[in-house]
Amino acid sequence: MISHEKETKQAESKEFTRQEEEAAAGREETGGESGADKMSDEAEPETDTATAAPTPEEEAFLWKDKYMRLSAEFDNYRKRTLREKMELVDTGGADVIKTLLPVLDDMDRALDSMQRTEDVASVRSGIELIHAKLVDTLRQKGLAEIKSVGEKLDTDYHEAVAKIPAPDKKQKGYIVDVAQKGYTLKDKVVRHAKVVVGE
């Protein structure tokens, strides 16, 4: 009787050991998780933190950060445009001066030649050539003379410095003489023409 119980216990112990070994083998095949573990994992709902709405403090921090970055970018932009504008003014002046240097050279040669010659006609023709070169150089840079004599007075371009009786009725309100020429630079007035108007 005792031996029969012993055999039964040994059989049960072997069966239990066999079941444990099968369970361990199953866990190794499924990556270390038993079926019960897998079911418990599947039962837990997945929470997505990326879609969660930010708290008011987080949102305020994000807006503050965005404002600070935008303010810094604008400040950098303002400084850069101011620097570029100053450089443009400097280089623009240098460009005009470079184009006027040949005219200055011609003027120096004319003055030197005036000291050594008594031929007034050749000096006059030389000065006229230099003047024409200067006018042409300035015209290439966008400078244009304001037409005045015979034109109707236009306060956008002309400044009346005197009025005289018009020699003809048709010249009443029109410019009859110019005291100082006026100029535009690329269609913008840089100096108004000072004119005499008939009345």
Side-chain angles (χ1 to χ4, degrees):
M1 182 89 176
I2 294 171
S3 63
H4 178 67
E5 285 178 6
K6 234 182 197 181
E7 288 174 3
T8 308
K9 282 184 181 178
Q10 285 178 357
E12 286 176 359
S13 176
K14 284 181 183 178
E15 180 65 24
F16 180 77
T17 305
R18 187 183 61 78
Q19 288 177 356
E20 283 290 316
E21 289 173 357
E22 286 178 0
R27 279 197 297 271
E28 287 176 5
E29 288 175 4
T30 59
E33 289 183 353
S34 66
D37 291 337
K38 287 171 89 177
M39 287 179 63
S40 65
D41 287 346
E42 289 174 1
E44 288 180 9
E46 293 182 4
T47 56
D48 190 4
T49 55
T51 57
T55 64
E57 291 81 12
E58 291 173 341
E59 194 169 351
F61 175 78
L62 290 172
W63 279 107
K64 184 179 178 183
D65 183 59
K66 189 174 182 180
Y67 167 76
M68 295 296 285
R69 289 175 187 274
L70 189 63
S71 178
E73 285 177 12
F74 178 74
D75 193 44
N76 290 338
Y77 166 77
R78 185 179 56 78
K79 288 177 183 175
R80 186 176 65 248
T81 52
L82 186 62
R83 186 171 60 250
E84 287 174 355
K85 186 177 179 181
M86 290 173 67
E87 287 173 0
L88 186 63
V89 169
D90 291 342
T91 56
D95 185 44
V96 172
I97 289 171
K98 282 179 185 176
T99 57
L100 289 176
L101 287 177
V103 179
L104 183 61
D105 293 338
D106 289 345
M107 188 61 73
D108 289 338
R109 283 191 284 272
L111 289 170
D112 186 48
S113 125
M114 284 169 65
Q115 299 293 331
R116 292 183 284 120
T117 185
E118 294 182 6
D119 187 2
V120 177
S122 65
V123 171
R124 179 182 295 157
S125 65
I127 297 295
E128 287 172 351
L129 285 171
I130 293 169
H131 178 265
K133 187 174 183 179
L134 175 62
V135 169
D136 187 53
T137 302
L138 293 174
R139 187 180 294 121
Q140 288 175 6
K141 293 296 173 186
L143 191 74
E145 184 181 332
I146 296 172
K147 292 180 182 178
S148 300
V149 176
E151 300 286 325
K152 193 166 179 65
L153 180 69
D154 184 353
T155 53
D156 290 337
Y157 297 99
H158 307 114
E159 180 186 342
V161 293
K163 289 185 179 181
I164 62 169
D168 189 356
K169 288 183 179 180
K170 291 180 180 179
Q171 291 182 322
K172 192 172 183 180
Y174 286 82
I175 297 164
V176 293
D177 195 13
V178 177
Q180 187 181 66
K181 292 180 179 180
Y183 295 94
T184 60
L185 181 62
K186 295 181 180 176
D187 298 327
K188 183 178 179 181
V189 176
V190 291
R191 188 172 81 181
H192 289 80
K194 294 182 179 180
V195 297
V196 179
V197 184
E199 64 174 359

